[in-house]
Amino acid sequence: MSSFSVFRSLAPRLGARYSSHVAVRQKTLTDIKKLYNAKEPLAVITAHDYITGRIADSSEKLDIILIGDSLAMVSKGYASTLEIPFDDYYYACKSVLRGVNQKFVIADLPFGSFEASVSQCVESAVKLMKLGKIGSLKVEGGFEHGEQIKRLIEIGIPVTGHIGLKPQQFNAVGGYRVQGRKAQDAANIIKEAEYLRDIGCSMLLLECIPHKVAQYLTEKLDIPTIGIGSGPGTSAQVLVQADLLGMLDSPTAKFVQKYMDFHSEAVNAIEHYVEDVKSGTFPNVETHSYPIKEEEFEAMEKLLQQDH
Ligand SMILES: Nc1nc(=O)c2c([nH]1)NC[C@@H]1CN(c3ccc(C(=O)N[C@@H](CCC(=O)O)C(=O)O)cc3)CN21
Ligand SMILES: CC(C)C(=O)C(=O)O
Ligand SMILES: [Mg+2]
């Protein structure tokens, strides 16, 4: 088969939501609730572009993909999640979703797209939901965004709450600090969690709160909790894909477990490639090049001679 026909035969399958061989159905909130009710620990990772979307969607065991606004820092290089324009985040979501066929997807509402009013929030939420494939929107906040969250739920958008450390509000709390270490702060987090559950949030993300507070909350609530930096007592765990794969050469937070050093491996592989180019061992005539028949080459030379 020529390489062109290989591409032609793969293209329809790569783009298809339903493979011709196995019927692939994207996971729904009902599927997630079933796993939660069966007390199955759930695993979540972020995806920030088409490549990381394909990687996450290809893991058989992964339960949920989060399109996190952390993509502002990880994939676009901004110093905080506050800086990314809505449209840039929106295009990144489109890229991720082109690569996702199977997993349940939660997407963040980015900073500046929902705080001003309920109507601003609905407008941003509707834009994202119109992309298809998103099963829940995550709103970073609790009491302060209650009206917005209630309206999204009323119009049929499942909302994931996000309390504890709220990176979109890092300026107000003096940086990326663990939240709820003092009795009053911990009690406020519990009250905020109960409020979000009461107004109808489907799930609740707990970021950087003490392990015992997260476990207490998870046992008290009847909705799944997704923890990051909040210990083993939550219903689900989430990590930023770039953190767990070691894709960046910057230090990570204490809660990160690195499962590979992608950055170093990638740089090593590139050094290897450059060495091969410089030593002339890549490309190889037999395996990496395309031949022309000797008679065609000779005919070409004759044609060129006639032109003179
Ligand atoms: N790559 C990446 N991973 C993330 O998990 C992440 C982002 N980016 N960007 C958005 C937010 C910011 N996050 C962060 C960033 C740093 C810490 C951190 O360094 N925490 C301190 C805790 C200090 C304390 O004791 O209060 C640490 O030492 O781990 C925590 C969460 C989580 N999110
Ligand atoms: C860190 C997780 C919880 C998140 O919200 C993100 O990736 O944006
Ligand atoms: Mg986020």
Side-chain angles (χ1 to χ4, degrees), residues 70 73-74 81 165 167 176-178 181 207-208 228 240 243 253-255:
S70 56
M73 300 166 78
V74 172
T81 56
L165 174 60
Y176 302 119
R177 303 250 160 273
V178 175
R181 274 180 158 151
E207 180 161 352
C208 290
I228 179 164
V240 169
D243 291 345
K254 182 190 175 190
F255 57 75

Side-chain angles (χ1 to χ4, degrees), residues 64-114:
I64 300 175
I65 293 174
L66 169 68
I67 309 179
D69 62 346
S70 56
L71 75 84
M73 300 166 78
V74 172
S75 171
K76 310 293 178 197
Y78 288 111
S80 79
T81 56
L82 280 63
E83 297 174 32
I84 190 168
F86 178 81
D87 284 353
D88 292 20
Y89 175 77
Y90 176 80
Y91 299 135
C93 288
K94 285 179 93 164
S95 305
V96 171
L97 293 168
R98 282 183 205 114
V100 175
N101 306 308
Q102 313 200 46
K103 302 302 181 193
F104 186 72
V105 177
I106 305 173
D108 272 335
L109 274 180
F111 180 75
S113 73
F114 65 95

Side-chain angles (χ1 to χ4, degrees), residues 25-35 63-64 102-105 135 203:
R25 178 179 67 80
Q26 197 185 0
K27 294 279 190 300
T28 63
L29 190 55
T30 311
D31 296 315
I32 301 303
K33 291 268 155 118
K34 269 186 202 151
L35 295 169
D63 299 294
I64 300 175
Q102 313 200 46
K103 302 302 181 193
F104 186 72
V105 177
M203 292 185 275

